[in-house]
Amino acid sequence: MATIDQLLEDIDASPGGPEIAAIFDFDGTLIAGYSATAFIREQVRRGDLSPREFLELMRAMGSFGLGNLGFSGMMAINAQFMRGIEEETYVDVGEQLYTREIARLIYPESRALVKAHLAKGHTVAIISSATPYQVLPAAQDLDIEHVLCTHLEVKNGRFSGGVVRPTCFGQGKVDAAESLASKKGADLEQSFFYSDSTDDQLLLERVGRPRALNPSKKLERLARANHWPVVHFGSRGRPSVGEFVRSVAATSSLVTSFVAGLPIYALTGSRRDANNFSFSLFADTASALIGLNLRVKGEEHLWSHRPAVFIFNHQSGLDAVLKVKMLRRDVTGVGKQEVRSNPNCGPLFEVAGVVYIDRADTTKAIRALKPAEEAKRQGRSLVIAPEGTRSATPRLGRFKKGAFHIAMQAGVPIVHVVFRNVLDSLPKHALVLRPATIEAVVLPPVDTRGWKREHLDAEIEAIRNRYLEVLEG
């Protein structure tokens, strides 16, 4: 059994340049599970697949699984149900489903493998039996240029009900890989292919460096017989009972931590001291229960200039734990209005001085931030995500101006905190927290006292560019 570190070392030791191809299967390899599940569910929801058609499709998939129906035959049955639908509709559906469901299924380890191959200048590609509507959004997120997959026939912008043959399955994947190698001048005998299934046995045997990722039992036996590296990832897919229990305990510790702070408030009358104690206790308890290892570079910048406006790239619901664990005391935050109605954490955050804003109403949002400007006079720092909302991927969103206006008007510095891999533990829309090593880079404070309103856009762009440099480094 190999490890992800060993796979990364193999990539680093391999020759650089486009003559080496790095080919990835999609379902089960780059992502946990099958993207077709999300698409079929969406087809039913949209009414593109009737109950009768759904049952027929399930029978076809069952026959394929038993070996009684070929892949092309199964795809032909699916394609006929899409006859007459505009292709552009499914381009949009694919992008929406990726953001809503599929992005969180990407294995962080597979993302690291793709990044390592790109850094070596390899020809990186996805070769999948899935359709482009399932695969392309993920390829764009992962910066993978080449996608070879199964195509549905389109005429005059609408699905005709047919399938473009040959489909990208079995020998079709080998043909696709050889076509790619011919165009890019790559040598398949020196190239990598990552897969989870014996459906890809022909291509695994064709390349010089086959890799079995999260393999089926059948592929694992084949891989071991051929001495191919085998790696199992535990960062996605069905969580263990222990991970579920730890997640519930970590979330519940917010309430118990505030209860533990009540005696401090009762004895001292200081809500601030009680909040500092409770939030620090919550961050340490939750981190221990989840199994988080937080590595901070530039930690001295968290303390050198306070009060300050701390900004961070918003990737996950876990950010709240990480922020408090890093900042420890004398901070308040800004949250979206919807959190206030949460019966569990809404009242606690309000007691802690969190400022709630209505993102749909800019005027109300600006008025709501007025109390946050009092933080400087009270010696407290403000924590805010300039993107305004969580991202489903590690990509950095557009920065809103609120945090920068506050810092400029209060005359306090901005300290930017860059989280690199919070999604490893809790991607957007996921419910279970998983153990992970989180990296945070704290950049030197930015003095805002000389800022002018007319130059604010340029100042914000400069800070955002620093985020991009760290994230891409």
Side-chain angles (χ1 to χ4, degrees):
M1 182 77 69
T3 66
I4 181 63
D5 287 338
Q6 289 172 327
L7 294 189
L8 292 170
E9 288 170 4
D10 288 346
I11 296 170
D12 189 56
S14 68
E19 297 80 13
I20 304 295
I23 302 168
F24 290 82
D25 175 45
F26 186 60
D27 293 300
T29 303
L30 281 175
I31 69 170
Y34 297 93
S35 56
T37 303
F39 269 79
I40 292 171
R41 190 163 54 237
E42 182 66 11
Q43 285 180 289
V44 172
R45 189 195 69 80
R46 289 170 48 83
D48 294 341
L49 202 62
S50 70
R52 179 190 63 78
E53 292 169 337
F54 172 75
L55 290 175
E56 188 174 342
L57 180 58
M58 290 300 101
R59 283 195 294 269
M61 294 176 71
S63 295
F64 167 72
L66 294 171
N68 299 325
L69 179 68
F71 178 78
S72 295
M74 181 187 69
M75 288 301 298
I77 291 173
N78 184 33
Q80 69 178 330
F81 300 141
M82 299 178 69
R83 183 186 293 114
I85 298 174
E86 289 187 0
E87 183 193 23
E88 190 63 32
T89 299
Y90 268 76
V91 172
D92 294 338
V93 166
E95 292 173 352
Q96 293 165 12
L97 281 178
Y98 182 72
T99 300
R100 192 169 72 237
E101 297 188 39
I102 297 174
R104 72 172 182 264
L105 302 178
I106 290 183
Y107 287 107
E109 298 92 339
S110 292
R111 190 183 287 276
L113 292 171
V114 170
K115 185 175 181 180
H117 281 296
L118 290 172
K120 293 289 289 188
H122 293 165
T123 297
V124 182
I126 297 175
I127 298 184
S128 171
S129 58
T131 66
Y133 321 106
Q134 296 161 254
V135 180
L136 279 175
Q140 291 166 359
D141 175 33
L142 293 166
D143 292 324
I144 296 176
E145 178 182 356
H146 306 286
V147 175
L148 298 95
C149 56
T150 297
H151 289 266
L152 306 182
E153 187 179 65
V154 177
K155 294 182 178 179
N156 299 320
R158 295 180 180 271
F159 294 118
S160 70
V163 179
V164 177
R165 297 174 186 263
T167 55
C168 200
F169 185 83
Q171 181 61 40
K173 282 196 173 184
V174 178
D175 295 342
E178 290 179 340
S179 174
L180 174 71
S182 177
K183 290 178 181 177
K184 302 301 295 184
D187 181 2
L188 290 182
E189 296 295 336
Q190 298 296 320
S191 295
F192 299 77
F193 176 48
Y194 301 88
S195 177
D196 71 308
S197 171
T198 50
D199 290 342
D200 295 330
Q201 181 175 346
L202 292 176
L203 184 50
L204 285 164
E205 292 173 342
R206 176 67 180 84
V207 301
R209 297 175 178 179
R211 303 289 187 261
L213 298 190
N214 318 301
S216 63
K217 291 181 180 179
K218 189 175 178 181
L219 176 57
E220 185 160 356
R221 289 195 297 269
L222 178 67
R224 293 190 185 284
N226 287 278
H227 307 290
W228 299 340
V230 175
V231 182
H232 288 275
F233 300 154
S235 58
R236 294 292 184 266
R238 188 183 298 275
S240 67
V241 173
E243 287 171 337
F244 179 78
V245 171
R246 287 199 300 271
S247 295
V248 172
T251 304
S252 301
S253 68
L254 176 63
V255 176
T256 55
S257 296
F258 265 86
V259 171
L262 291 178
I264 294 176
Y265 179 60
L267 292 172
T268 67
S270 172
R271 178 178 293 180
R272 181 169 172 173
D273 289 344
N275 285 340
N276 286 344
F277 173 82
S278 295
F279 272 125
S280 293
L281 178 61
F282 164 62
D284 291 340
T285 303
S287 297
L289 288 168
I290 298 165
L292 293 181
N293 177 20
L294 178 60
R295 296 178 179 175
V296 182
K297 181 179 179 180
E299 189 170 5
E300 66 275 12
H301 302 312
L302 296 173
W303 304 100
S304 63
H305 293 74
R306 289 207 184 189
V309 172
F310 290 91
I311 62 173
F312 65 99
N313 51 319
H314 197 10
Q315 294 188 329
S316 170
L318 184 62
D319 293 341
V321 175
L322 299 173
K323 288 179 295 184
V324 176
K325 188 170 181 64
M326 293 171 66
L327 298 175
R328 309 302 295 180
R329 64 176 183 268
D330 297 333
V331 294
T332 188
V334 174
K336 59 185 180 181
Q337 188 68 32
E338 296 89 325
V339 175
R340 174 179 275 165
S341 59
N342 185 302
N344 297 318
C345 59
L348 295 179
F349 286 164
E350 195 156 5
V351 168
V354 170
V355 177
Y356 293 108
I357 61 172
D358 183 355
R359 294 181 300 180
D361 190 320
T362 303
T363 302
K364 286 184 179 179
I366 292 173
R367 284 203 303 266
L369 286 172
K370 290 295 182 182
E373 296 174 14
E374 299 291 324
K376 179 186 179 183
R377 286 186 286 275
Q378 298 171 3
R380 291 188 299 162
S381 295
L382 179 68
V383 185
I384 187 170
E387 294 166 282
T389 189
R390 289 175 293 167
S391 172
T393 75
R395 293 186 181 276
L396 192 66
R398 185 177 63 85
F399 279 9
K400 296 178 172 60
K401 297 182 180 180
F404 306 96
H405 273 294
I406 292 171
M408 183 174 64
Q409 292 168 8
V412 298
I414 287 177
V415 180
H416 15 330
V417 178
V418 188
F419 290 124
R420 276 189 170 139
N421 54 332
V422 184
L423 295 178
D424 289 5
S425 178
L426 186 69
K428 189 174 183 178
H429 302 305
L431 299 176
V432 175
L433 296 145
R434 298 178 188 263
T437 297
I438 307 298
E439 297 177 359
V441 177
V442 187
L443 298 174
V446 175
D447 190 349
T448 66
R449 288 175 295 181
W451 282 12
K452 304 294 183 183
R453 187 179 297 272
E454 57 268 25
H455 300 145
L456 187 59
D457 287 343
E459 300 287 0
I460 294 173
E461 186 66 18
I463 288 176
R464 188 175 182 278
N465 286 338
R466 287 291 290 121
Y467 271 82
L468 292 172
E469 289 173 10
V470 174
L471 290 170
E472 294 170 3

